Amino acid sequence: MKNKIKVASALCLVAGSVQAGGIGRSGQSIAVLFEEGRYAEFSLGSVSPDIKGDAVIISPGVSSGDIAPSYFRFGAAYKADINDKLSYAIIYDEPFGADVDYAADTGYFAAGSNAEFTARALTGLLQYNMSSGFSIYGGLRVQSVEADADVIIPGIGLNYTADADVHYGIGYVAGVAYEKPEIALRVSLTYSSEVSHDVDTAETAGVSTTLDSSTSFETPQSLNLEFQTGVAANTLLFGGVRWVDWSDFRLDPALFEQATSGSALLSYEEDVTTYSIGMGRKLNDNWSIAATLAYEENTGNLFTNLGPADGQKSIALAAIYSTGKWEITTGLRYIRIGDTTTGLQGNRAAEFDDNDVVALGVKVGYRF
């Protein structure tokens, strides 16, 4: 029971942490470390946001149209035992990302603006398992980032573009866990450090002002508290709390700051904490199912027009089919994004209400 439900509880990672906490996408889970024996998995997610708002300045009442294109997410992981005390895992994920595209010729004040931010990470972890049920683990994370943006707001005379080169940074991961297999109990606490980047950026403002600059920022540090426990025969309760230090994230290329009197291209006023709770159930030797709920508080702060998502509520469902050495997990997640107010030079710019995201995911696991 433990293995199948454990994978089913990871459905929330298959369908993803999309739109959860700032520009978080993967949740940076290390759950693969707790798989038994030698194991590999691959996951693919399809994410379809529907995000639109209405302007309150410059073009009052004009709708932005849907500003969030659909996208795919990919993940992979491999875990193996070195001996009865030591294990290791290699994890690829896409922890952070943003993709915003305001259609042109709509009359909206930011029509024609767009931005894309992508982070990819490869993490190597080593785990030491103690006989008491406790384990400690840690390792390094290599992360790449790239970004580009076009911000066009005629009402304030802004016509700005930025193209940032790919940059690699290194961070670390450390954690501790306790397991009691006879009741399928596991509690883990994982810290992921910030990763610093110093990105070469080509900027243009207007038709003649250009600047080759270096943009420094850090993707945020985080804490993941995850748990699971058996509550009845073939039934598992699981959940977690994820804290992300978004208040220290600020993407502010030099020329953009000059052109907007100190505004950031993308930033957040407060840290974000995400809560989740779920239940998994083994139906028979081949099938298990699971469901989970998640919540983030709506802060009521002003958000940038390239990141209008203030809090969320979500529900996810999954089924896992196991046969021989193969495990196939499918998941569906519906996310209701909190009502969001965006700002422009410190003033209320637009209201983004009644928006949502649908995510589908498939994960294939194989035990050697």
Side-chain angles (χ1 to χ4, degrees):
M1 183 271 286
K2 183 183 70 170
N3 289 341
K4 292 182 182 179
I5 297 296
K6 181 167 59 180
V7 179
S9 68
L11 86 96
C12 317
L13 308 173
V14 175
S17 295
V18 291
Q19 299 298 136
I23 53 174
R25 284 188 173 175
S26 75
Q28 297 178 301
S29 175
I30 50 78
V32 70
L33 264 180
F34 303 103
E35 296 290 346
E36 293 185 356
R38 194 154 58 104
Y39 171 82
E41 67 181 34
F42 300 89
S43 62
L44 180 66
S46 174
V47 183
S48 300
D50 183 10
I51 301 176
K52 53 187 178 296
D54 295 317
V56 296
I57 61 170
I58 302 177
S59 54
V62 176
S63 174
S64 66
D66 189 0
I67 68 169
S70 298
Y71 62 91
F72 290 96
R73 293 173 51 249
F74 176 75
Y78 175 79
K79 180 263 177 183
D81 297 328
I82 299 173
N83 53 42
D84 61 350
K85 294 291 186 181
L86 292 173
S87 306
Y88 71 92
I90 300 171
I91 303 169
Y92 169 83
D93 71 339
E94 297 168 353
F96 307 108
D99 191 358
V100 176
D101 189 1
Y102 287 86
D105 302 322
T106 61
Y108 190 75
F109 70 85
S113 298
N114 60 81
E116 187 171 4
F117 178 90
T118 304
R120 301 179 177 90
L122 188 66
T123 305
L125 298 173
L126 183 65
Q127 181 183 38
Y128 177 71
N129 298 283
M130 307 174 196
S131 56
S132 61
F134 284 94
S135 64
I136 56 174
Y137 50 88
L140 295 178
R141 173 173 289 138
V142 179
Q143 178 179 273
S144 70
V145 296
E146 56 185 312
D148 59 75
D150 297 284
V151 183
I152 304 168
I153 305 179
I156 61 172
L158 181 62
N159 188 348
Y160 170 86
T161 65
D163 188 3
D165 292 344
V166 177
H167 184 269
Y168 292 87
I170 297 178
Y172 66 90
V173 178
V176 59
Y178 175 74
E179 295 180 272
K180 193 172 183 179
E182 56 267 31
I183 58 171
L185 172 67
R186 184 179 73 237
V187 181
S188 64
L189 180 65
T190 307
Y191 172 76
S192 294
S193 75
E194 68 278 355
V195 179
S196 298
H197 293 279
D198 195 2
V199 183
D200 292 335
T201 310
E203 300 180 81
T204 303
V207 296
S208 59
T209 305
T210 62
L211 178 66
D212 290 331
S213 63
S214 181
T215 304
S216 298
F217 64 93
E218 296 177 343
T219 54
Q221 63 180 338
S222 63
L223 272 175
N224 281 13
L225 175 63
E226 298 174 287
F227 75 90
Q228 66 170 50
T229 184
V231 292
N234 299 321
T235 305
L236 192 76
L237 177 70
F238 59 89
V241 180
R242 173 171 167 82
W243 167 83
V244 185
D245 189 16
W246 280 113
S247 61
D248 277 350
F249 177 81
R250 184 177 175 86
L251 188 58
D252 52 357
L255 191 55
F256 186 83
E257 271 202 311
Q258 294 174 21
T260 59
S261 302
S263 296
L265 193 61
L266 188 62
S267 65
Y268 300 93
E269 293 187 29
E270 295 186 26
D271 300 341
V272 174
T273 302
T274 307
Y275 304 89
S276 64
I277 189 74
M279 189 78 73
R281 174 75 178 175
K282 178 183 174 182
L283 302 179
N284 53 46
D285 289 342
N286 297 112
W287 288 97
S288 299
I289 57 174
T292 186
L293 301 173
Y295 170 78
E296 286 175 11
E297 182 182 6
N298 185 290
T299 67
N301 295 324
L302 290 180
F303 280 66
T304 70
N305 291 283
L306 300 181
D310 186 5
Q312 57 109 328
K313 300 174 183 177
S314 72
I315 183 171
L317 304 172
I320 176 169
Y321 177 73
S322 177
T323 178
K325 295 182 178 181
W326 294 93
E327 292 174 340
I328 302 172
T329 306
T330 57
L332 168 66
R333 187 177 183 197
Y334 175 77
I335 303 162
R336 188 72 170 178
I337 298 175
D339 293 346
T340 306
T341 302
T342 65
L344 186 63
Q345 295 184 326
N347 299 309
R348 191 166 63 100
E351 297 290 344
F352 286 77
D353 300 335
D354 300 323
N355 294 313
D356 54 22
V357 182
V358 176
L360 299 170
V362 176
K363 181 170 70 176
V364 178
Y366 182 78
R367 300 186 186 280
F368 295 87

